[in-house]
Amino acid sequence: NRVSRDGITVYGIEDGLPGNIVWSLYKDRKGTLWIGTAAGLGRFENGRITTYSVDHGLFDNDVYQILED
């Protein structure tokens, strides 16, 4: 969920989120929000979600922790 002045926006699979079970969140130094789920990694940037999974090179789709490299 995202809370803003306009209200609450709920994001799910239909919005591009890899999965509805969120394990971790990380905001990097550029302000991009990384979302670790039980079905892959999501990147929320400029109002858009990009999904990464084992098909994109992840070792596993369960993303429990996110660390900036």
Side-chain angles (χ1 to χ4, degrees):
N1 298 338
R2 179 180 181 207
V3 179
S4 68
R5 293 179 188 159
D6 299 327
I8 299 173
T9 305
V10 178
Y11 293 95
I13 294 171
E14 61 279 352
D15 303 299
L17 199 63
N20 286 326
I21 299 173
V22 175
W23 298 119
S24 58
L25 296 171
Y26 182 80
K27 185 176 180 183
D28 69 18
R29 51 190 137 175
K30 293 181 181 178
T32 301
L33 181 64
W34 295 87
I35 307 158
T37 76
L41 179 67
R43 183 182 74 197
F44 184 75
E45 185 176 38
N46 299 322
R48 185 171 163 228
I49 300 173
T50 304
T51 299
Y52 303 95
S53 68
V54 293
D55 295 335
H56 301 96
L58 292 182
F59 178 75
D60 195 311
N61 281 332
D62 285 310
V63 180
Y64 296 105
Q65 184 177 22
I66 302 166
L67 302 172
E68 189 164 354
D69 187 346

